[in-house]
Amino acid sequence: MANRDSETLLSARRDRVMARWDLKDEIVLVRSGSVLPMAGSDMEHSFQPHPDFAYLSGRGIPDAVLAFDALQDQWQLFGPRSTPDDQVWHQPADPIGVPLEELEGWIALRTEQTVLEAWDDPKIQAGIAAERIHKDELELSALRSAAATSKSGFDWVYQNVAAGMTEREIQVGMEAEFFRAGAVRTAYPSIVATGPNGAYLHYFYGQDDSLNPSTRTLQKGELLLIDAGGEFGGYASDVTRTMVVGAEPTDVQSFLWQVVLSAQELAIDRCRPGQEWREIHLDSARTIGSGLLELGLLRGEVDQLVSSGAVALFYPHGLGHLIGLTVHDAGGYPAGREPSSHPQSRYLRTDRPLEAGMITSVEPGIYFIEALLADPAVRERFAEEVVWDAVEPLRGFGGIRIEDDIHITDAGPEVLSEDIGKPIRIG
Ligand code: GLY
Ligand code: MN
Ligand code: MN
């Protein structure tokens, strides 16, 4: 991040954010954060800077502070200096800014000015988020590189995965390719879900000694749902593909996969400035509801099935979210909008009109989720709208999700993950 062009872009980001803050004489402190100790241990988790700090400074080291003095219209970076003792254990970080020890004195000189901690101040955070939602060319370059690392991992999957492999083997092979292609880490814990496990929306972590992705073996003809992405230059990629492995898809697998793909394609085409995300989301639910009606899993009229929450039993999550320095990025809800309690929209992570420069995921899905389908209260409430006898054989089917990362532009949607194939069958 040393070249002149990047310094110019970083300085322009700070200017835009400062204009949004509209301060008089306050001081703002944007901290990078500290390393997190592992519970009950003297070891530490790997460090990730607070994204607001990374956005404004272009740096990612712990215990640094970017300060802004609104009276002087002046930014000052403070960075820690490692001691000889530190250097016995860790390679020293670059000595950025002025020594952190000087921060206290810098604040003390400004006795009349109020100190605003960025992490605690909604106005400061909102100002940064309002800029983070629009990506500059430095960010777009990192996002494209992140998508390229994901492509390497998914290509490995398409060429190497076969029935008989475990989720864990698939994860390890795929992530190795992310890293070979330059990813620094995965953008989030990889979801590699075979068969029924694809119905857990965020199938990761596991319990006790059993990790997810697990040692479960992929069976011939089962669905494999992979939701994973590399991180590059601090920026995320978030891609999902679902495929049948080692056999021709059944009619039901093929039908539902096509419904999800259609919902995704229709939504991607509407990823244009001025479009309300909530409307695109609700239309994706209508597309999925129509498919479930056609397959005979629901009965009734599609708008009513979306309003009642019947479609949400099979598509409970939102169509997508903003992506950037974090995979579920800042700025999803602008001031004045609150998450809805509508059954189809309560997990929607974004509710705003789209604007050029935003990056959003588009990720519709259809799932057969035991926690919902086995619940007697749910079965009672949707006795008329869900054809439970038709759903019964599909318990254990898993889930289908297809996800890409879209750059909103005035010229139409740019799919950053476009080069990642969408095979319905592999192996
Ligand atoms: N990869 C997490 C998500 O799509 O929400
Ligand atoms: Mn996503
Ligand atoms: Mn995802």
Side-chain angles (χ1 to χ4, degrees):
M1 180 68 70
N3 71 46
R4 261 173 64 111
D5 288 350
S6 59
E7 281 307 331
T8 307
L9 286 166
L10 285 164
S11 161
R13 282 181 205 171
R14 289 192 289 266
D15 285 348
R16 289 194 302 268
V17 164
M18 183 183 73
R20 284 196 186 267
W21 282 340
D22 191 23
L23 301 173
K24 283 199 270 309
D25 58 2
E26 298 89 334
I27 294 166
V28 179
L29 302 180
V30 186
R31 298 178 187 273
S32 70
S34 300
V35 288
L36 273 177
M38 289 183 175
S41 160
D42 68 352
M43 294 300 282
E44 295 154 350
H45 292 281
S46 76
F47 178 70
Q48 287 190 255
H50 192 289
D52 288 345
F53 176 85
Y55 179 72
L56 293 170
S57 72
R59 306 303 303 243
I61 63 170
D63 300 319
V65 180
L66 180 64
F68 176 64
D69 176 344
L71 197 59
Q72 310 278 334
D73 205 2
Q74 176 202 37
W75 293 87
Q76 181 61 58
L77 183 59
F78 295 88
R81 299 290 182 267
S82 70
T83 65
D85 270 354
D86 294 334
Q87 292 176 35
V88 172
W89 292 94
H90 301 290
Q91 183 181 7
D94 292 343
I96 63 167
V98 299
L100 186 64
E101 291 73 31
E102 295 182 21
L103 176 61
E104 224 172 290
W106 188 88
I107 295 171
L109 283 176
R110 293 157 171 82
T111 40
E112 302 295 308
Q113 297 174 245
T114 310
V115 178
L116 304 177
E117 289 282 352
W119 291 11
D120 301 334
D121 193 302
K123 175 178 159 167
I124 296 301
Q125 279 174 16
I128 304 174
E131 284 306 320
R132 278 180 53 197
I133 61 175
H134 305 110
K135 272 45 183 185
D136 63 29
E137 57 183 271
L138 203 58
E139 298 183 284
L140 288 170
S141 161
L143 285 154
R144 290 194 180 101
S145 297
T149 69
S150 301
K151 174 174 164 51
S152 295
F154 278 91
D155 281 348
W156 179 89
V157 169
Y158 300 156
Q159 287 153 21
N160 293 279
V161 168
M165 289 173 81
T166 67
E167 292 172 350
R168 184 99 178 115
E169 285 173 300
I170 299 167
Q171 175 203 3
V172 169
M174 174 187 68
E175 289 183 358
E177 297 306 320
F178 291 169
F179 300 138
R180 276 194 193 99
V184 177
R185 55 172 77 86
T186 62
Y188 49 93
S190 301
I191 296 168
V192 179
T194 57
N197 292 339
Y200 298 108
L201 301 181
H202 277 176
Y203 174 72
F204 39 63
Y205 301 143
Q207 298 160 21
D208 302 328
D209 288 338
S210 136
L211 289 172
N212 289 337
S214 77
T215 53
R216 185 180 186 282
T217 301
L218 179 59
Q219 307 294 309
K220 218 176 182 162
E222 276 186 338
L223 290 170
L224 169 64
L225 185 156
I226 300 183
D227 180 345
E231 182 189 297
F232 188 94
Y235 284 79
S237 160
D238 184 8
V239 178
T240 308
R241 298 289 183 260
T242 310
M243 46 248 144
V244 177
V245 182
E248 279 307 303
T250 64
D251 288 349
V252 174
Q253 284 171 334
S254 177
F255 181 87
L256 292 174
W257 192 92
Q258 291 294 345
V259 170
V260 174
L261 183 65
S262 303
Q264 200 214 20
E265 288 174 347
L266 288 167
I268 289 174
D269 190 53
R270 288 177 57 195
C271 284
R272 294 163 193 274
Q275 292 274 342
E276 277 288 349
W277 185 248
R278 188 179 357 93
E279 294 305 323
I280 307 176
H281 163 71
L282 287 172
D283 280 344
S284 74
R286 289 183 188 106
T287 304
I288 283 172
S290 301
L292 298 174
L293 270 168
E294 194 177 333
L295 194 61
L297 303 186
L298 296 178
R299 60 168 88 83
E301 190 274 316
V302 76
D303 282 342
Q304 169 58 27
L305 293 166
V306 171
S307 314
S308 70
V311 173
L313 293 176
F314 303 91
Y315 173 32
H317 60 74
L319 176 63
H321 49 82
L322 300 178
I323 298 174
L325 283 161
T326 63
V327 68
H328 296 160
D329 214 31
Y333 280 77
R337 292 201 187 183
E338 299 292 331
S340 155
S341 57
H342 187 294
Q344 188 65 58
S345 302
R346 65 200 181 104
Y347 293 130
L348 196 56
R349 289 191 162 96
T350 304
D351 181 4
R352 61 183 309 147
L354 298 177
E355 294 170 37
M358 290 179 173
I359 309 288
T360 182
S361 72
V362 174
E363 49 177 310
I366 297 178
Y367 313 86
F368 294 84
I369 299 172
E370 265 307 284
L372 301 176
L373 304 183
D375 181 343
V378 170
R379 295 175 78 92
E380 169 75 26
R381 187 166 353 122
F382 294 97
E384 291 306 315
E385 294 180 302
V386 176
V387 185
W388 290 105
D389 288 349
V391 168
E392 201 56 27
L394 292 170
R395 286 172 65 178
F397 177 95
I400 297 171
R401 178 165 66 253
I402 305 177
E403 174 174 29
D404 285 284
D405 303 345
I406 318 299
H407 175 209
I408 313 298
T409 82
D410 290 324
E414 180 201 0
V415 183
L416 299 182
S417 43
E418 186 170 35
D419 294 344
I420 303 176
K422 288 180 186 166
I424 188 171
R425 179 208 166 151
I426 60 167

